[in-house]
Coordinates of all heavy atoms in Angstrom, one line a residue:
M37 N 21.9 -23.3 -14.5 CA 23.0 -24.3 -14.5 C 24.3 -23.6 -14.8 O 25.3 -24.2 -14.6 CB 22.7 -25.5 -15.4 CG 21.7 -26.4 -14.8 SD 22.3 -27.1 -13.3 CE 20.9 -27.7 -12.6
Q38 N 24.3 -22.5 -15.4 CA 25.6 -21.8 -15.8 C 26.4 -21.5 -14.5 O 27.6 -21.6 -14.5 CB 25.3 -20.5 -16.5 CG 26.5 -19.7 -16.9 CD 27.4 -20.5 -17.9 OE1 27.0 -21.4 -18.6 NE2 28.7 -20.2 -17.9
F39 N 25.7 -21.2 -13.4 CA 26.4 -20.9 -12.2 C 27.2 -22.1 -11.7 O 28.3 -22.0 -11.3 CB 25.4 -20.5 -11.1 CG 26.0 -20.1 -9.8 CD1 26.7 -18.9 -9.7 CD2 25.8 -20.9 -8.7 CE1 27.2 -18.5 -8.5 CE2 26.3 -20.5 -7.5 CZ 27.1 -19.4 -7.4
T40 N 26.6 -23.3 -11.8 CA 27.3 -24.5 -11.4 C 28.5 -24.8 -12.2 O 29.6 -25.2 -11.7 CB 26.3 -25.7 -11.5 OG1 25.2 -25.4 -10.7 CG2 27.0 -27.0 -10.9
G41 N 28.4 -24.6 -13.5 CA 29.5 -24.8 -14.4 C 30.6 -23.8 -14.1 O 31.8 -24.1 -14.2
T42 N 30.3 -22.6 -13.8 CA 31.3 -21.6 -13.4 C 32.0 -22.0 -12.1 O 33.3 -21.8 -12.1 CB 30.6 -20.2 -13.2 OG1 29.9 -19.9 -14.4 CG2 31.6 -19.1 -13.0
I43 N 31.3 -22.5 -11.2 CA 32.0 -22.9 -9.9 C 32.9 -24.1 -10.2 O 34.1 -24.1 -9.7 CB 30.9 -23.3 -8.9 CG1 30.2 -22.0 -8.4 CG2 31.6 -24.0 -7.7 CD1 29.0 -22.3 -7.5
L44 N 32.5 -25.0 -10.9 CA 33.3 -26.2 -11.3 C 34.5 -25.8 -12.0 O 35.6 -26.3 -11.8 CB 32.5 -27.2 -12.0 CG 31.4 -27.9 -11.3 CD1 30.6 -28.9 -12.2 CD2 32.0 -28.7 -10.1
D45 N 34.4 -24.9 -13.0 CA 35.6 -24.4 -13.7 C 36.6 -23.7 -12.8 O 37.8 -23.9 -12.9 CB 35.1 -23.4 -14.8 CG 34.4 -24.1 -15.9 OD1 34.5 -25.3 -16.1 OD2 33.6 -23.4 -16.6
H46 N 36.0 -22.9 -11.9 CA 36.9 -22.2 -10.9 C 37.7 -23.2 -10.0 O 38.9 -23.0 -9.8 CB 36.1 -21.3 -10.0 CG 36.9 -20.5 -9.0 ND1 37.6 -19.4 -9.4 CD2 37.1 -20.7 -7.7 CE1 38.2 -18.9 -8.3 NE2 37.9 -19.7 -7.3
V47 N 37.0 -24.2 -9.5 CA 37.6 -25.2 -8.7 C 38.7 -26.0 -9.5 O 39.8 -26.2 -9.0 CB 36.6 -26.2 -8.1 CG1 37.2 -27.4 -7.4 CG2 35.7 -25.4 -7.1
R48 N 38.4 -26.4 -10.7 CA 39.4 -27.1 -11.5 C 40.6 -26.2 -11.7 O 41.7 -26.7 -11.7 CB 38.8 -27.5 -12.9 CG 37.8 -28.6 -12.8 CD 37.4 -29.1 -14.2 NE 36.3 -29.9 -14.1 CZ 35.0 -29.6 -14.4 NH1 34.7 -28.5 -15.0 NH2 34.0 -30.5 -14.3
E49 N 40.4 -24.9 -11.9 CA 41.5 -24.0 -12.2 C 42.4 -23.8 -11.0 O 43.6 -23.6 -11.1 CB 41.0 -22.7 -12.8 CG 42.0 -21.7 -13.2 CD 41.5 -20.5 -13.8 OE1 40.3 -20.5 -14.3 OE2 42.1 -19.5 -13.7
H50 N 41.8 -23.7 -9.8 CA 42.5 -23.3 -8.6 C 42.6 -24.4 -7.6 O 42.8 -24.2 -6.4 CB 41.8 -22.1 -8.0 CG 41.8 -20.9 -8.9 ND1 42.9 -20.2 -9.2 CD2 40.8 -20.4 -9.6 CE1 42.5 -19.2 -10.0 NE2 41.3 -19.3 -10.2
R51 N 42.5 -25.7 -8.0 CA 42.5 -26.8 -7.1 C 43.6 -26.8 -6.1 O 43.4 -26.9 -4.9 CB 42.4 -28.1 -7.9 CG 42.3 -29.3 -7.0 CD 42.2 -30.6 -7.9 NE 41.3 -30.3 -8.9 CZ 40.5 -31.2 -9.5 NH1 40.6 -32.5 -9.1 NH2 39.7 -30.9 -10.5
S52 N 44.9 -26.7 -6.6 CA 46.0 -26.9 -5.7 C 46.1 -25.7 -4.7 O 46.4 -25.9 -3.5 CB 47.3 -27.0 -6.5 OG 47.6 -25.8 -7.2
G53 N 45.7 -24.5 -5.1 CA 45.7 -23.4 -4.2 C 44.6 -23.5 -3.1 O 44.9 -23.2 -2.0
M54 N 43.5 -24.0 -3.5 CA 42.4 -24.2 -2.6 C 42.8 -25.3 -1.6 O 42.4 -25.2 -0.4 CB 41.1 -24.6 -3.3 CG 40.6 -23.4 -4.2 SD 39.2 -23.9 -5.2 CE 37.9 -23.9 -4.0
V55 N 43.5 -26.3 -2.0 CA 43.9 -27.4 -1.0 C 44.9 -26.8 -0.1 O 44.8 -27.1 1.1 CB 44.5 -28.6 -1.8 CG1 45.1 -29.6 -0.9 CG2 43.4 -29.3 -2.6
A56 N 45.8 -26.0 -0.5 CA 46.8 -25.4 0.4 C 46.1 -24.5 1.4 O 46.5 -24.5 2.6 CB 47.9 -24.6 -0.4
D57 N 45.2 -23.7 0.9 CA 44.4 -22.8 1.8 C 43.7 -23.6 2.9 O 43.7 -23.2 4.1 CB 43.4 -22.0 1.0 CG 44.0 -21.0 0.0 OD1 45.3 -20.8 0.1 OD2 43.3 -20.5 -0.8
L58 N 43.0 -24.6 2.5 CA 42.3 -25.5 3.4 C 43.2 -26.1 4.4 O 42.9 -26.1 5.6 CB 41.4 -26.5 2.7 CG 40.6 -27.5 3.6 CD1 39.6 -26.7 4.4 CD2 40.0 -28.5 2.7
A59 N 44.3 -26.6 3.9 CA 45.3 -27.3 4.8 C 45.8 -26.3 5.9 O 45.9 -26.6 7.0 CB 46.4 -27.9 4.0
F60 N 46.2 -25.1 5.4 CA 46.7 -24.1 6.3 C 45.6 -23.8 7.4 O 46.0 -23.7 8.6 CB 47.1 -22.8 5.6 CG 47.7 -21.8 6.4 CD1 49.1 -21.7 6.6 CD2 47.0 -20.8 7.1 CE1 49.7 -20.8 7.3 CE2 47.6 -19.9 7.9 CZ 49.0 -19.9 8.0
A61 N 44.4 -23.6 7.0 CA 43.3 -23.2 7.9 C 43.1 -24.4 8.9 O 43.0 -24.1 10.1 CB 42.0 -22.9 7.2
V62 N 43.0 -25.6 8.5 CA 42.8 -26.7 9.4 C 43.9 -26.9 10.4 O 43.7 -27.1 11.6 CB 42.5 -28.0 8.6 CG1 42.5 -29.2 9.4 CG2 41.2 -27.9 7.8
I63 N 45.1 -26.8 9.9 CA 46.3 -27.0 10.8 C 46.4 -25.8 11.8 O 46.6 -26.1 13.0 CB 47.6 -27.1 9.9 CG1 47.6 -28.4 9.2 CG2 48.8 -27.0 10.8 CD1 48.7 -28.5 8.1
W64 N 46.1 -24.6 11.3 CA 46.2 -23.5 12.3 C 45.1 -23.6 13.4 O 45.4 -23.4 14.5 CB 46.0 -22.2 11.5 CG 46.1 -21.0 12.4 CD1 45.1 -20.3 13.0 CD2 47.3 -20.4 12.8 NE1 45.6 -19.3 13.8 CE2 47.0 -19.3 13.7 CE3 48.7 -20.7 12.6 CZ2 47.9 -18.5 14.3 CZ3 49.6 -19.8 13.2 CH2 49.3 -18.8 14.1
V65 N 43.9 -23.9 13.0 CA 42.8 -24.0 14.0 C 43.1 -25.2 14.9 O 42.9 -25.1 16.1 CB 41.5 -24.2 13.3 CG1 40.4 -24.6 14.3 CG2 41.1 -22.9 12.6
A66 N 43.6 -26.3 14.4 CA 44.0 -27.5 15.3 C 45.1 -27.1 16.3 O 44.9 -27.5 17.5 CB 44.4 -28.7 14.4
V67 N 46.1 -26.5 15.8 CA 47.2 -26.1 16.7 C 46.8 -25.1 17.8 O 47.0 -25.3 19.0 CB 48.4 -25.6 15.9 CG1 49.4 -24.9 16.8 CG2 49.0 -26.7 15.1
V68 N 46.0 -24.1 17.4 CA 45.6 -23.1 18.3 C 44.6 -23.7 19.3 O 44.7 -23.5 20.6 CB 44.9 -21.9 17.6 CG1 44.2 -21.0 18.6 CG2 46.0 -21.1 16.8
T69 N 43.7 -24.5 18.9 CA 42.7 -25.2 19.8 C 43.4 -26.1 20.7 O 43.1 -26.1 21.9 CB 41.7 -26.0 18.9 OG1 41.0 -25.0 18.1 CG2 40.7 -26.6 19.8
A70 N 44.4 -26.9 20.3 CA 45.1 -27.8 21.2 C 45.9 -27.0 22.2 O 46.0 -27.4 23.4 CB 46.1 -28.7 20.3
L71 N 46.6 -25.9 21.8 CA 47.3 -25.1 22.7 C 46.4 -24.5 23.8 O 46.8 -24.5 24.9 CB 48.1 -24.0 21.9 CG 48.9 -23.1 22.7 CD1 50.1 -23.8 23.3 CD2 49.4 -21.9 21.8
F72 N 45.3 -24.0 23.4 CA 44.4 -23.3 24.4 C 43.7 -24.4 25.2 O 43.3 -24.1 26.4 CB 43.4 -22.4 23.7 CG 44.1 -21.0 23.5 CD1 44.8 -20.7 22.4 CD2 43.9 -20.0 24.5 CE1 45.4 -19.5 22.2 CE2 44.4 -18.8 24.3 CZ 45.2 -18.5 23.2
D73 N 43.5 -25.6 24.7 CA 42.9 -26.6 25.6 C 44.0 -27.0 26.6 O 43.6 -27.3 27.8 CB 42.6 -27.8 24.7 CG 41.3 -27.7 24.0 OD1 40.5 -26.7 24.3 OD2 41.0 -28.5 23.1
L74 N 45.2 -27.0 26.3 CA 46.3 -27.4 27.2 C 46.5 -26.3 28.2 O 46.7 -26.6 29.4 CB 47.6 -27.7 26.4 CG 48.8 -28.1 27.2 CD1 48.6 -29.4 27.8 CD2 50.0 -28.1 26.3
L75 N 46.6 -25.0 27.8 CA 46.9 -23.9 28.7 C 45.7 -23.3 29.4 O 45.9 -22.5 30.3 CB 47.7 -22.9 27.9 CG 49.0 -23.3 27.3 CD1 49.6 -22.1 26.4 CD2 50.0 -23.7 28.3
Q76 N 44.5 -23.6 28.9 CA 43.3 -23.0 29.5 C 43.4 -21.5 29.4 O 43.1 -20.8 30.4 CB 43.1 -23.5 30.9 CG 42.9 -25.0 31.0 CD 41.6 -25.4 30.3 OE1 40.6 -24.8 30.5 NE2 41.7 -26.5 29.6
G77 N 43.7 -20.9 28.3 CA 43.8 -19.5 28.1 C 42.4 -18.8 28.0 O 41.4 -19.5 27.8
P78 N 42.4 -17.5 28.1 CA 41.1 -16.8 28.1 C 40.5 -16.9 26.6 O 41.2 -17.0 25.6 CB 41.4 -15.4 28.4 CG 42.9 -15.2 28.2 CD 43.5 -16.6 28.4
T79 N 39.2 -16.8 26.6 CA 38.5 -16.9 25.3 C 38.9 -15.8 24.3 O 39.1 -16.0 23.1 CB 37.0 -16.8 25.5 OG1 36.6 -17.8 26.4 CG2 36.2 -17.0 24.2
W80 N 39.1 -14.5 24.8 CA 39.5 -13.4 23.9 C 40.9 -13.7 23.3 O 41.1 -13.4 22.1 CB 39.5 -12.1 24.6 CG 40.5 -12.0 25.7 CD1 40.3 -12.2 27.1 CD2 41.9 -11.6 25.6 NE1 41.5 -12.0 27.8 CE2 42.5 -11.6 26.9 CE3 42.7 -11.2 24.5 CZ2 43.8 -11.3 27.1 CZ3 44.0 -10.9 24.8 CH2 44.6 -10.9 26.0
A81 N 41.8 -14.3 24.0 CA 43.1 -14.6 23.5 C 43.0 -15.8 22.4 O 43.7 -15.8 21.4 CB 44.1 -15.0 24.6
Y82 N 42.1 -16.7 22.7 CA 41.9 -17.8 21.7 C 41.4 -17.2 20.4 O 41.9 -17.5 19.3 CB 40.8 -18.8 22.3 CG 40.4 -19.8 21.3 CD1 41.2 -20.8 20.9 CD2 39.1 -19.8 20.8 CE1 40.8 -21.8 20.1 CE2 38.6 -20.8 19.9 CZ 39.5 -21.8 19.6 OH 39.1 -22.7 18.7
H83 N 40.4 -16.3 20.5 CA 39.8 -15.7 19.2 C 40.9 -14.8 18.6 O 41.0 -14.8 17.3 CB 38.6 -14.9 19.6 CG 37.4 -15.7 20.0 ND1 36.5 -15.3 20.9 CD2 37.1 -17.0 19.6 CE1 35.6 -16.3 21.1 NE2 36.0 -17.3 20.3
L84 N 41.7 -14.1 19.3 CA 42.7 -13.3 18.8 C 43.8 -14.1 18.1 O 44.3 -13.8 17.0 CB 43.4 -12.4 19.9 CG 44.4 -11.4 19.4 CD1 43.7 -10.3 18.5 CD2 45.0 -10.7 20.6
S85 N 44.1 -15.3 18.6 CA 45.1 -16.2 18.0 C 44.5 -16.8 16.7 O 45.2 -17.0 15.8 CB 45.4 -17.3 19.0 OG 46.0 -16.8 20.1
L86 N 43.2 -17.1 16.7 CA 42.6 -17.6 15.5 C 42.7 -16.5 14.4 O 43.0 -16.8 13.2 CB 41.2 -18.0 15.7 CG 41.0 -19.3 16.5 CD1 39.5 -19.6 16.7 CD2 41.6 -20.5 15.8
F87 N 42.4 -15.3 14.8 CA 42.5 -14.2 13.8 C 43.9 -14.0 13.3 O 44.1 -13.6 12.2 CB 41.9 -12.9 14.4 CG 42.0 -11.7 13.4 CD1 41.2 -11.7 12.3 CD2 42.9 -10.7 13.7 CE1 41.2 -10.7 11.4 CE2 42.9 -9.7 12.8 CZ 42.1 -9.6 11.7
A88 N 44.9 -14.2 14.2 CA 46.3 -14.0 13.8 C 46.6 -15.0 12.7 O 47.5 -14.8 11.9 CB 47.2 -14.3 15.0
G89 N 45.9 -16.1 12.6 CA 46.1 -17.0 11.5 C 45.8 -16.4 10.1 O 46.4 -16.7 9.1
V90 N 44.9 -15.5 10.1 CA 44.6 -14.8 8.8 C 45.8 -14.0 8.4 O 46.2 -14.0 7.2 CB 43.3 -13.9 8.9 CG1 43.1 -13.1 7.7 CG2 42.1 -14.7 9.3
I91 N 46.3 -13.2 9.3 CA 47.5 -12.4 9.0 C 48.7 -13.3 8.7 O 49.4 -13.1 7.8 CB 47.8 -11.5 10.2 CG1 46.7 -10.5 10.4 CG2 49.1 -10.8 10.0 CD1 46.7 -9.8 11.7
G92 N 48.8 -14.4 9.5 CA 49.9 -15.3 9.2 C 49.8 -16.0 7.8 O 50.8 -16.2 7.2
Y93 N 48.6 -16.3 7.4 CA 48.4 -16.9 6.1 C 48.9 -16.0 5.0 O 49.6 -16.4 4.1 CB 46.9 -17.2 5.9 CG 46.5 -17.5 4.5 CD1 46.6 -18.8 4.0 CD2 46.0 -16.5 3.7 CE1 46.3 -19.1 2.7 CE2 45.7 -16.8 2.4 CZ 45.8 -18.1 1.9 OH 45.5 -18.3 0.6
F94 N 48.4 -14.7 5.0 CA 48.8 -13.8 4.0 C 50.3 -13.6 4.0 O 51.0 -13.5 3.0 CB 48.1 -12.5 4.1 CG 46.7 -12.7 3.6 CD1 45.6 -12.7 4.4 CD2 46.4 -12.9 2.2 CE1 44.3 -12.8 4.0 CE2 45.1 -13.0 1.7 CZ 44.1 -13.0 2.6
A95 N 50.9 -13.4 5.2 CA 52.3 -13.2 5.3 C 53.1 -14.4 4.8 O 54.1 -14.2 4.1 CB 52.7 -12.9 6.8
F96 N 52.7 -15.6 5.1 CA 53.4 -16.8 4.7 C 53.4 -16.9 3.2 O 54.4 -17.1 2.5 CB 52.8 -18.0 5.3 CG 53.4 -19.3 4.8 CD1 54.7 -19.7 5.2 CD2 52.7 -20.1 3.9 CE1 55.3 -20.9 4.7 CE2 53.3 -21.3 3.4 CZ 54.5 -21.7 3.8
F97 N 52.2 -16.8 2.6 CA 52.1 -17.0 1.1 C 52.7 -15.8 0.4 O 53.2 -16.0 -0.7 CB 50.7 -17.3 0.7 CG 50.3 -18.7 1.0 CD1 49.5 -19.1 2.1 CD2 50.8 -19.8 0.3 CE1 49.2 -20.4 2.4 CE2 50.5 -21.1 0.5 CZ 49.7 -21.4 1.6
M98 N 52.7 -14.6 0.9 CA 53.3 -13.5 0.2 C 54.8 -13.7 0.2 O 55.5 -13.4 -0.8 CB 52.9 -12.2 0.8 CG 51.5 -11.7 0.5 SD 50.9 -10.3 1.3 CE 52.2 -9.1 1.1
S99 N 55.4 -14.1 1.4 CA 56.8 -14.4 1.4 C 57.2 -15.6 0.6 O 58.3 -15.5 -0.1 CB 57.3 -14.6 2.9 OG 56.8 -15.8 3.4
L100 N 56.4 -16.6 0.5 CA 56.7 -17.7 -0.4 C 56.7 -17.3 -1.8 O 57.6 -17.7 -2.6 CB 55.6 -18.8 -0.2 CG 55.8 -20.1 -1.0 CD1 57.1 -20.8 -0.6 CD2 54.6 -21.0 -0.7
E101 N 55.7 -16.5 -2.2 CA 55.7 -16.0 -3.6 C 56.9 -15.1 -3.9 O 57.5 -15.2 -5.0 CB 54.4 -15.2 -3.8 CG 54.2 -14.7 -5.2 CD 52.9 -13.9 -5.3 OE1 51.9 -14.3 -4.7 OE2 52.9 -12.9 -6.1
S102 N 57.3 -14.3 -3.0 CA 58.5 -13.4 -3.1 C 59.7 -14.3 -3.3 O 60.6 -14.0 -4.1 CB 58.6 -12.5 -1.9 OG 59.7 -11.7 -2.0
A103 N 59.8 -15.3 -2.5 CA 61.0 -16.2 -2.6 C 61.1 -16.9 -3.9 O 62.1 -17.1 -4.5 CB 61.0 -17.2 -1.4
L104 N 59.9 -17.4 -4.4 CA 59.8 -18.1 -5.7 C 60.2 -17.1 -6.8 O 60.8 -17.5 -7.8 CB 58.5 -18.7 -5.9 CG 58.1 -19.9 -4.9 CD1 56.7 -20.3 -5.2 CD2 59.1 -21.0 -5.2
D105 N 59.7 -15.9 -6.7 CA 60.0 -14.9 -7.7 C 61.5 -14.5 -7.8 O 62.1 -14.3 -8.8 CB 59.2 -13.6 -7.5 CG 57.8 -13.8 -7.9 OD1 57.4 -14.8 -8.6 OD2 56.9 -12.9 -7.5
A106 N 62.2 -14.5 -6.6 CA 63.6 -14.2 -6.5 C 64.4 -15.3 -7.1 O 65.5 -15.0 -7.7 CB 64.0 -14.0 -5.0
D107 N 64.0 -16.5 -7.1 CA 64.7 -17.7 -7.7 C 64.6 -17.6 -9.3 O 65.5 -18.2 -9.9 CB 64.2 -19.0 -7.2 CG 64.6 -19.3 -5.8 OD1 65.6 -18.7 -5.4 OD2 64.0 -20.2 -5.2
S108 N 63.6 -17.0 -9.8 CA 63.4 -17.0 -11.2 C 64.3 -16.0 -11.9 O 64.8 -15.1 -11.6 CB 62.0 -16.6 -11.6 OG 61.1 -17.5 -11.1

């Protein structure tokens, strides 16, 4: 049961970050899926666009962190 307590502690500590991560992922997948449903693009481009979300995620949050550090 220690494992369960550890997971719950982690979720309590990082709740807002986990919500932001989930929101970014859901929005990215929804936008890319809607765009490719509309344009009927090739499957490889769809998968590449989904993967670009990983790079976009890190770039966005790193720039956000940098901007917040610059204000301090």
Side-chain angles (χ1 to χ4, degrees):
M37 284 297 162
Q38 179 63 22
F39 183 70
T40 304
T42 305
I43 292 173
L44 291 176
D45 292 339
H46 180 79
V47 170
R48 284 187 194 109
E49 185 177 333
H50 300 287
R51 183 178 314 210
S52 63
M54 292 173 79
V55 170
D57 295 348
L58 179 62
F60 186 92
V62 168
I63 291 169
W64 184 262
V65 170
V67 168
V68 169
T69 301
L71 182 65
F72 275 84
D73 282 348
L74 180 68
L75 299 176
Q76 298 296 314
T79 304
W80 65 266
Y82 173 72
H83 291 150
L84 189 62
S85 298
L86 288 177
F87 179 70
V90 174
I91 297 167
Y93 166 83
F94 285 108
F96 175 74
F97 282 104
M98 284 173 51
S99 68
L100 181 63
E101 183 178 323
S102 176
L104 292 175
D105 288 345
D107 284 342
S108 298

